[in-house]
Amino acid sequence: MESTGFAHWLVVLVELCTAFALLLLALAVLVVLATWVVDRNQTGNAVLRNFPVIGHFRYWFLHLGEFFRQYLYSSDREEMPFNRAQRTWVYRAAKDVDNTNAFGSSRDLRAEGVPFFVNAPFPDLGVDHVEPVPVTIGPYAREPYSHAPFFNISAMSFGALSAPAVRALSRGAAKAGIWMDTGEGGLAPYHLEGGCDIIFEIGTAKYGVRTPDGRLDDGKLLAICAYKQVKMVSIKLGQGAKPGMGGLLPGAKVTPEIAAIRGIPVGEDSQSPNRHLDIGNVSQLMDSIGHIRELTGKPVGFKAVLGGVEWIGELCDEIHRRGIESAPDFIIVDGSEGGTGAAPQTLMEGVGLPLHEALPALLDMLIVKGLRERIKVVCSGKCITAYDVAWALSIGADFVNSARGFMLALGCIQSLQCNRNTCPTGITTQNPKLQRGLVVTDKSERVYHYATNVMKEVGIIAHSCGVAEPRQLNRGHCRVVGDDGLSIPLEKLFPYPQRATAE
């Protein structure tokens, strides 16, 4: 009897345990299903929207990394091209949340090349601070362009970027009052959608303004510049990630829409020439600038990555021969640390001057040649945080452009899938299923907040240095750590040159 009773209670216990396990399993399934539905339909996170449920593991691991990274994970400052600390700063700025830290900086302030700023003992009070003053570009063009914000969106093409990404950038840029560069892929309706100012870029393949044989079609260019939003035209000679090589758009990204905008075959790799067919020297570059400015009435300049500035000196001499009005209205200098969707590693890592050399070299040449005021200087190349931008303004740049900073603001997680059409956040893919993760209304707000917070914090640096607005920063306000661990002023590292006397 006792054994029979024990067996009975054992069976009951097993049945209860089985029922409990089944209940837990059912609850787990319900939780997973509910999480899947919530993740799939929320608009704030592209990773979770595209990868419901499993996307949460990424954030769990990131959280656990705060406690275990010294054993299992990299530190805040180790990853490339942008480390965790940099990305976190951008994410917080884009979300407009508290961006303060506790205890102390994780940045090695003794590492060679680290910039920091010289605070004034008695900075101005807040009431003395003013907004950035508008800078006028193209005084000899029929339609000069005046623009105050010093931080803007760098060249990124529709095709390399998805339609939702371009739309979010356009809307966010309009709200922040900043410009957006189309990149070499032509002008898409999505660039115009938000109402922001547009810099139209003409690449070496002349996408969107090309004849069948790859020459400039004046009629198509006039049609594009007829849009009031198009404020300037930029001739792209090269970019930092692949100097001496044209852009490459993989065939998987060449949809019928992109092909129509660019004027290329559908589904085929699109490789731009390594230079413009009609620009083979300084004189021809000047001819092209003059022609486009006269045709469109817009300010015209060029973008280049520098291997040296000797040819810039030749350009300046040609300007003086032709007259000051013939000068390019602006130069966009791209450092060799610039990014792109697809480039050979050899070019990306081994060719061209980095921005910290190219920018002061360009500015000094313009000062020596007496053209610094005539030609405005825009720079780009890994400037994604406030102190990156403040450094560039201290050197002397008029404007700073960023591409990857705004990609991070859109939700980029640096998965390095840009060239594979498999971007998990929907930014650099033409796959509609992945694009669905990028919700334009949400991400446009993040673009707006990122731009305004960068400019706000650069203003904080400027005010700490005792100047009223960021463009008043100069080389005396910034110091850079040398190879001995001690800092030297930028004005000593890159002394201001004297203007050359006329011959």
Side-chain angles (χ1 to χ4, degrees):
M1 288 291 294
E2 291 182 3
S3 60
T4 302
F6 176 77
H8 170 74
W9 287 111
L10 184 60
V11 170
V12 171
L13 180 62
V14 170
E15 289 176 348
L16 287 174
C17 290
T18 302
F20 185 68
L22 290 173
L23 178 62
L24 289 178
L25 180 61
L27 288 174
V29 170
L30 287 175
V31 169
V32 170
L33 289 175
T35 303
W36 191 96
V37 171
V38 171
D39 288 349
R40 189 66 174 167
N41 290 282
Q42 55 82 37
T43 61
N45 190 299
V47 172
L48 296 181
R49 191 171 168 87
N50 281 338
F51 302 96
V53 182
I54 63 174
H56 287 279
F57 285 99
R58 174 177 183 267
Y59 301 99
W60 291 336
F61 290 142
L62 283 175
H63 178 66
L64 290 174
E66 296 178 11
F67 306 101
F68 298 112
R69 66 168 57 107
Q70 63 176 309
Y71 306 108
L72 303 174
Y73 298 89
S74 60
S75 72
D76 282 343
R77 301 285 177 175
E78 285 184 352
E79 298 169 293
M80 293 291 285
F82 297 101
N83 60 49
R84 182 184 289 111
Q86 292 171 310
R87 300 197 310 272
T88 299
W89 190 93
V90 174
Y91 294 149
R92 288 176 177 172
K95 294 176 182 178
D96 199 30
V97 298
D98 178 46
N99 218 351
T100 60
N101 292 314
F103 202 71
S105 173
S106 63
R107 192 183 196 194
D108 184 358
L109 301 180
R110 297 167 298 177
E112 184 177 0
V114 169
F116 60 89
F117 297 86
V118 181
N119 58 293
F122 308 105
D124 291 338
L125 296 175
V127 294
D128 297 324
H129 300 158
V130 295
E131 294 297 317
V133 176
V135 173
T136 298
I137 308 173
Y140 295 95
R142 294 194 298 275
E143 300 178 34
Y145 178 44
S146 292
H147 189 69
F150 51 83
F151 186 62
N152 299 277
I153 301 176
S154 193
M156 291 184 284
S157 302
F158 170 57
L161 296 188
S162 66
V166 176
R167 293 172 63 206
L169 289 170
S170 177
R171 293 187 188 183
K175 189 170 182 178
I178 64 177
W179 78 50
M180 178 184 187
D181 193 315
T182 65
E184 65 178 312
L187 182 69
Y190 314 112
H191 289 117
L192 300 168
E193 180 179 302
C196 67
D197 289 353
I198 297 291
I199 311 303
F200 179 70
E201 183 178 273
I202 301 176
T204 57
K206 295 181 170 59
Y207 291 130
V209 291
R210 59 184 277 128
T211 62
D213 63 348
R215 304 281 176 174
L216 180 64
D217 187 316
D218 287 357
K220 291 180 179 178
L221 181 57
L222 272 175
I224 284 174
C225 290
Y227 290 102
K228 291 185 178 180
Q229 287 175 241
V230 177
K231 302 297 185 181
M232 302 196 297
V233 178
S234 172
I235 301 172
K236 175 187 171 183
L237 301 182
Q239 67 184 92
K242 44 189 172 185
M245 176 183 176
L248 171 63
L249 184 66
K253 289 188 174 184
V254 185
T255 64
E257 180 182 35
I258 292 168
I261 290 171
R262 295 195 177 203
I264 56 177
V266 177
E268 297 182 12
D269 288 350
S270 181
Q271 176 70 61
S272 305
N274 64 340
R275 71 166 177 83
H276 289 266
L277 302 179
D278 55 342
I279 302 177
N281 52 52
V282 163
S283 180
Q284 290 177 351
L285 174 60
M286 294 284 293
D287 292 342
S288 183
I289 291 170
H291 171 71
I292 294 172
R293 183 166 47 218
E294 178 61 28
L295 177 71
T296 65
K298 311 283 185 179
V300 181
F302 65 87
K303 174 182 178 179
V305 55
L306 301 180
V309 292
E310 292 78 9
W311 71 275
I312 297 294
E314 295 175 14
L315 176 74
C316 293
D317 293 339
E318 183 69 14
I319 292 168
H320 286 303
R321 283 191 288 269
R322 297 189 183 201
I324 193 71
E325 69 281 355
S326 68
D329 297 307
F330 61 91
I331 296 175
I332 302 175
V333 55
D334 196 12
S336 60
E337 61 271 73
T340 186
Q345 185 173 349
T346 302
L347 291 180
M348 185 178 286
E349 297 183 353
V351 180
L353 291 178
L355 188 64
H356 73 268
E357 289 189 46
L359 179 59
L362 171 63
L363 288 163
D364 288 353
M365 179 60 75
L366 294 179
I367 292 172
V368 167
K369 296 294 185 177
L371 292 169
R372 177 63 190 93
E373 293 303 315
R374 171 67 179 90
I375 301 173
K376 303 308 176 186
V377 174
V378 187
C379 72
S380 58
K382 293 188 77 173
C383 294
I384 70 168
T385 64
Y387 46 75
D388 297 327
V389 176
W391 169 87
L393 295 178
S394 297
I395 286 287
D398 297 297
F399 302 94
V400 180
N401 281 353
S402 179
R404 286 171 291 177
F406 283 97
M407 289 176 65
L408 291 169
L410 286 173
C412 170
I413 59 174
Q414 196 171 271
S415 62
L416 309 182
Q417 301 291 307
C418 307
N419 58 334
R420 301 178 184 175
N421 204 33
T422 54
C423 172
T425 57
I427 299 171
T428 60
T429 178
Q430 300 307 315
N431 185 330
K433 293 181 179 179
L434 294 174
Q435 288 182 5
R436 185 181 181 277
L438 199 159
V439 179
V440 173
T441 52
D442 176 78
K443 301 307 181 186
S444 61
E445 286 296 303
R446 297 194 182 189
V447 168
Y448 159 69
H449 287 307
Y450 172 57
T452 54
N453 280 322
V454 167
M455 290 187 283
K456 175 184 175 182
E457 296 210 11
V458 173
I460 291 174
I461 292 174
H463 301 157
S464 296
C465 292
V467 298
E469 65 112 343
R471 286 196 182 93
Q472 292 179 4
L473 290 169
N474 60 48
R475 299 180 192 182
H477 291 122
C478 183
R479 300 175 68 94
V480 177
V481 177
D483 57 6
D484 59 357
L486 301 177
S487 67
I488 55 175
L490 280 180
E491 60 185 349
K492 184 175 180 181
L493 186 62
F494 301 110
Y496 286 109
Q498 296 295 316
R499 178 176 175 175
T501 56
E503 295 181 359

